[in-house]
Short mmCIF file of all heavy atoms in Angstrom, two decimals:
data_model
loop_
_atom_site.label_atom_id
_atom_site.label_comp_id
_atom_site.label_asym_id
_atom_site.label_seq_id
_atom_site.Cartn_x
_atom_site.Cartn_y
_atom_site.Cartn_z
N VAL A 1 91.36 86.64 98.94
CA VAL A 1 91.92 86.61 97.59
C VAL A 1 90.81 86.65 96.55
O VAL A 1 90.88 87.37 95.55
CB VAL A 1 92.81 85.37 97.38
CG1 VAL A 1 93.14 85.18 95.90
CG2 VAL A 1 94.09 85.50 98.18
N ALA A 2 89.75 85.86 96.77
CA ALA A 2 88.63 85.82 95.83
C ALA A 2 87.96 87.18 95.73
O ALA A 2 87.57 87.63 94.65
CB ALA A 2 87.62 84.76 96.25
N LEU A 3 87.82 87.87 96.88
CA LEU A 3 87.21 89.19 96.89
C LEU A 3 88.05 90.18 96.11
O LEU A 3 87.53 90.96 95.31
CB LEU A 3 87.04 89.66 98.34
CG LEU A 3 86.40 91.05 98.53
CD1 LEU A 3 84.99 91.06 97.96
CD2 LEU A 3 86.39 91.43 100.00
N VAL A 4 89.38 90.13 96.33
CA VAL A 4 90.28 91.02 95.59
C VAL A 4 90.23 90.71 94.11
O VAL A 4 90.28 91.58 93.25
CB VAL A 4 91.73 90.88 96.12
CG1 VAL A 4 92.70 91.66 95.24
CG2 VAL A 4 91.81 91.37 97.55
N LEU A 5 90.11 89.40 93.79
CA LEU A 5 90.06 88.95 92.40
C LEU A 5 88.88 89.57 91.68
O LEU A 5 89.01 90.09 90.57
CB LEU A 5 89.93 87.42 92.39
CG LEU A 5 90.50 86.64 91.21
CD1 LEU A 5 92.00 86.85 91.11
CD2 LEU A 5 90.18 85.17 91.38
N VAL A 6 87.70 89.54 92.30
CA VAL A 6 86.51 90.09 91.67
C VAL A 6 86.60 91.59 91.53
O VAL A 6 86.32 92.16 90.47
CB VAL A 6 85.25 89.70 92.49
CG1 VAL A 6 84.03 90.40 91.94
CG2 VAL A 6 85.05 88.20 92.47
N SER A 7 87.03 92.28 92.60
CA SER A 7 87.10 93.74 92.57
C SER A 7 88.14 94.22 91.57
O SER A 7 87.93 95.22 90.89
CB SER A 7 87.41 94.28 93.96
OG SER A 7 88.66 93.83 94.40
N SER A 8 89.27 93.52 91.47
CA SER A 8 90.31 93.95 90.54
C SER A 8 89.91 93.68 89.10
O SER A 8 90.43 94.31 88.17
CB SER A 8 91.64 93.25 90.85
OG SER A 8 91.50 91.86 90.78
N THR A 9 89.00 92.73 88.88
CA THR A 9 88.49 92.50 87.53
C THR A 9 87.62 93.66 87.10
O THR A 9 87.65 94.10 85.94
CB THR A 9 87.68 91.19 87.49
OG1 THR A 9 88.52 90.11 87.87
CG2 THR A 9 87.12 90.94 86.11
N ILE A 10 86.84 94.18 88.04
CA ILE A 10 85.95 95.30 87.73
C ILE A 10 86.75 96.59 87.57
O ILE A 10 86.51 97.38 86.67
CB ILE A 10 84.90 95.44 88.84
CG1 ILE A 10 84.06 94.16 88.94
CG2 ILE A 10 84.00 96.65 88.56
CD1 ILE A 10 83.10 94.15 90.11
N PHE A 11 87.73 96.77 88.45
CA PHE A 11 88.52 97.99 88.42
C PHE A 11 89.96 97.65 88.06
O PHE A 11 90.83 97.60 88.93
CB PHE A 11 88.47 98.69 89.78
CG PHE A 11 87.08 98.99 90.26
CD1 PHE A 11 86.49 98.21 91.26
CD2 PHE A 11 86.36 100.03 89.71
CE1 PHE A 11 85.20 98.47 91.70
CE2 PHE A 11 85.05 100.30 90.15
CZ PHE A 11 84.48 99.51 91.14
N ALA A 12 90.22 97.36 86.80
CA ALA A 12 91.56 96.96 86.35
C ALA A 12 92.54 98.12 86.49
O ALA A 12 92.21 99.26 86.18
CB ALA A 12 91.50 96.52 84.88
N ASP A 13 93.72 97.81 86.99
CA ASP A 13 94.76 98.82 87.20
C ASP A 13 95.53 99.02 85.90
O ASP A 13 96.24 98.13 85.44
CB ASP A 13 95.70 98.35 88.31
CG ASP A 13 96.66 99.45 88.75
OD1 ASP A 13 96.81 100.43 88.01
OD2 ASP A 13 97.25 99.31 89.83
N GLU A 14 95.39 100.20 85.32
CA GLU A 14 96.02 100.48 84.04
C GLU A 14 97.54 100.63 84.16
O GLU A 14 98.24 100.65 83.16
CB GLU A 14 95.41 101.73 83.40
CG GLU A 14 93.94 101.56 83.03
CD GLU A 14 93.36 102.81 82.38
OE1 GLU A 14 94.09 103.82 82.30
OE2 GLU A 14 92.20 102.77 81.96
N THR A 15 98.04 100.78 85.40
CA THR A 15 99.49 100.91 85.58
C THR A 15 100.18 99.55 85.56
O THR A 15 101.39 99.49 85.49
CB THR A 15 99.80 101.61 86.92
OG1 THR A 15 99.37 100.77 88.01
CG2 THR A 15 99.11 102.96 87.01
N ILE A 16 99.42 98.48 85.63
CA ILE A 16 99.99 97.14 85.61
C ILE A 16 100.19 96.71 84.16
O ILE A 16 99.26 96.76 83.36
CB ILE A 16 99.07 96.13 86.33
CG1 ILE A 16 98.89 96.54 87.79
CG2 ILE A 16 99.63 94.73 86.23
CD1 ILE A 16 100.17 96.62 88.58
N PRO A 17 101.41 96.30 83.79
CA PRO A 17 101.68 95.96 82.40
C PRO A 17 100.98 94.69 81.93
O PRO A 17 100.84 93.74 82.69
CB PRO A 17 103.21 95.77 82.37
CG PRO A 17 103.56 95.38 83.77
CD PRO A 17 102.60 96.14 84.65
N GLN A 18 100.53 94.71 80.70
CA GLN A 18 100.02 93.50 80.05
C GLN A 18 101.22 92.76 79.48
O GLN A 18 101.96 93.31 78.67
CB GLN A 18 99.04 93.87 78.94
CG GLN A 18 97.67 94.30 79.43
CD GLN A 18 96.95 93.17 80.15
OE1 GLN A 18 96.58 93.32 81.30
NE2 GLN A 18 96.76 92.05 79.49
N ILE A 19 101.38 91.53 79.90
CA ILE A 19 102.52 90.73 79.47
C ILE A 19 102.17 89.98 78.19
O ILE A 19 101.17 89.26 78.14
CB ILE A 19 102.94 89.74 80.58
CG1 ILE A 19 103.38 90.50 81.83
CG2 ILE A 19 104.05 88.83 80.08
CD1 ILE A 19 103.72 89.60 82.99
N HIS A 20 102.97 90.16 77.17
CA HIS A 20 102.75 89.48 75.89
C HIS A 20 103.86 88.49 75.56
O HIS A 20 103.86 87.88 74.49
CB HIS A 20 102.64 90.51 74.76
CG HIS A 20 101.51 91.49 74.96
ND1 HIS A 20 100.19 91.13 74.86
CD2 HIS A 20 101.52 92.80 75.29
CE1 HIS A 20 99.42 92.19 75.10
NE2 HIS A 20 100.20 93.21 75.37
N GLN A 21 104.81 88.35 76.46
CA GLN A 21 105.93 87.42 76.28
C GLN A 21 106.23 86.78 77.63
O GLN A 21 105.85 87.31 78.67
CB GLN A 21 107.16 88.19 75.78
CG GLN A 21 106.93 88.85 74.44
CD GLN A 21 107.93 89.96 74.15
OE1 GLN A 21 108.18 90.26 73.01
NE2 GLN A 21 108.49 90.57 75.17
N ARG A 22 106.88 85.65 77.60
CA ARG A 22 107.22 84.98 78.85
C ARG A 22 108.27 85.76 79.62
O ARG A 22 108.32 85.69 80.84
CB ARG A 22 107.72 83.56 78.54
CG ARG A 22 106.63 82.66 77.96
CD ARG A 22 107.19 81.36 77.44
NE ARG A 22 106.12 80.56 76.82
CZ ARG A 22 105.70 80.75 75.57
NH1 ARG A 22 106.25 81.68 74.81
NH2 ARG A 22 104.73 80.00 75.08
N VAL A 23 109.13 86.47 78.91
CA VAL A 23 110.16 87.30 79.55
C VAL A 23 109.98 88.73 79.06
O VAL A 23 110.12 89.00 77.86
CB VAL A 23 111.58 86.80 79.24
CG1 VAL A 23 112.62 87.68 79.94
CG2 VAL A 23 111.74 85.34 79.64
N THR A 24 109.66 89.64 79.97
CA THR A 24 109.48 91.04 79.62
C THR A 24 110.49 91.87 80.41
O THR A 24 110.44 91.91 81.64
CB THR A 24 108.06 91.51 79.94
OG1 THR A 24 107.11 90.66 79.28
CG2 THR A 24 107.85 92.95 79.50
N ASP A 25 111.40 92.51 79.70
CA ASP A 25 112.47 93.27 80.33
C ASP A 25 112.34 94.74 79.99
O ASP A 25 112.85 95.21 78.97
CB ASP A 25 113.84 92.72 79.88
CG ASP A 25 115.00 93.50 80.47
OD1 ASP A 25 114.78 94.28 81.41
OD2 ASP A 25 116.13 93.34 79.97
N TYR A 26 111.67 95.49 80.86
CA TYR A 26 111.52 96.93 80.64
C TYR A 26 112.80 97.69 80.98
O TYR A 26 112.89 98.88 80.73
CB TYR A 26 110.37 97.47 81.49
CG TYR A 26 109.00 97.15 80.95
CD1 TYR A 26 108.21 96.18 81.56
CD2 TYR A 26 108.49 97.78 79.82
CE1 TYR A 26 106.95 95.87 81.08
CE2 TYR A 26 107.24 97.48 79.33
CZ TYR A 26 106.48 96.54 79.96
OH TYR A 26 105.22 96.23 79.47
N THR A 27 113.78 97.01 81.56
CA THR A 27 115.03 97.66 81.94
C THR A 27 116.10 97.53 80.86
O THR A 27 117.15 98.16 80.96
CB THR A 27 115.59 97.04 83.24
OG1 THR A 27 116.03 95.69 82.98
CG2 THR A 27 114.53 97.02 84.33
N ASN A 28 115.84 96.68 79.85
CA ASN A 28 116.83 96.39 78.81
C ASN A 28 118.15 95.91 79.39
O ASN A 28 119.23 96.21 78.88
CB ASN A 28 117.06 97.61 77.91
CG ASN A 28 116.01 97.73 76.83
OD1 ASN A 28 115.33 96.76 76.50
ND2 ASN A 28 115.84 98.92 76.29
N THR A 29 118.06 95.15 80.47
CA THR A 29 119.25 94.55 81.08
C THR A 29 119.75 93.38 80.25
O THR A 29 120.95 93.20 80.06
CB THR A 29 118.92 94.07 82.52
OG1 THR A 29 118.56 95.20 83.31
CG2 THR A 29 120.11 93.37 83.14
N LEU A 30 118.83 92.58 79.75
CA LEU A 30 119.19 91.40 78.96
C LEU A 30 119.51 91.79 77.53
O LEU A 30 118.89 92.69 76.97
CB LEU A 30 118.03 90.40 78.97
CG LEU A 30 117.56 89.88 80.33
CD1 LEU A 30 116.31 89.03 80.16
CD2 LEU A 30 118.66 89.08 81.00
N THR A 31 120.46 91.09 76.96
CA THR A 31 120.70 91.26 75.53
C THR A 31 119.59 90.54 74.78
O THR A 31 118.85 89.71 75.36
CB THR A 31 122.05 90.66 75.10
OG1 THR A 31 122.01 89.23 75.25
CG2 THR A 31 123.18 91.22 75.95
N TYR A 32 119.49 90.81 73.51
CA TYR A 32 118.45 90.17 72.70
C TYR A 32 118.63 88.65 72.70
O TYR A 32 117.64 87.90 72.83
CB TYR A 32 118.53 90.70 71.28
CG TYR A 32 117.50 90.12 70.34
CD1 TYR A 32 116.15 90.31 70.57
CD2 TYR A 32 117.89 89.37 69.23
CE1 TYR A 32 115.19 89.77 69.71
CE2 TYR A 32 116.94 88.84 68.37
CZ TYR A 32 115.60 89.04 68.61
OH TYR A 32 114.67 88.50 67.77
N GLN A 33 119.84 88.18 72.60
CA GLN A 33 120.09 86.74 72.57
C GLN A 33 119.76 86.10 73.91
O GLN A 33 119.21 84.98 73.96
CB GLN A 33 121.53 86.45 72.16
CG GLN A 33 121.82 86.80 70.71
CD GLN A 33 123.26 86.51 70.32
OE1 GLN A 33 124.08 86.15 71.16
NE2 GLN A 33 123.57 86.66 69.04
N GLU A 34 120.10 86.77 75.01
CA GLU A 34 119.76 86.25 76.33
C GLU A 34 118.26 86.15 76.50
O GLU A 34 117.74 85.16 77.02
CB GLU A 34 120.37 87.15 77.41
CG GLU A 34 121.88 87.05 77.50
CD GLU A 34 122.48 88.10 78.40
OE1 GLU A 34 121.77 89.06 78.77
OE2 GLU A 34 123.67 87.97 78.75
N TRP A 35 117.54 87.18 76.06
CA TRP A 35 116.09 87.18 76.13
C TRP A 35 115.51 86.01 75.33
O TRP A 35 114.62 85.29 75.79
CB TRP A 35 115.54 88.50 75.59
CG TRP A 35 114.06 88.50 75.38
CD1 TRP A 35 113.09 88.61 76.33
CD2 TRP A 35 113.38 88.34 74.13
NE1 TRP A 35 111.84 88.56 75.76
CE2 TRP A 35 111.99 88.39 74.40
CE3 TRP A 35 113.81 88.19 72.81
CZ2 TRP A 35 111.03 88.27 73.40
CZ3 TRP A 35 112.85 88.08 71.81
CH2 TRP A 35 111.48 88.11 72.11
#
């Protein structure tokens, strides 16, 4: 895990989303109020 941690820090995967909220719904399944 530590090895993967270091290597993934150097080579960050741009396809992985940066989370800016505790709940992130890219599917728009939740209503705004539920979110």
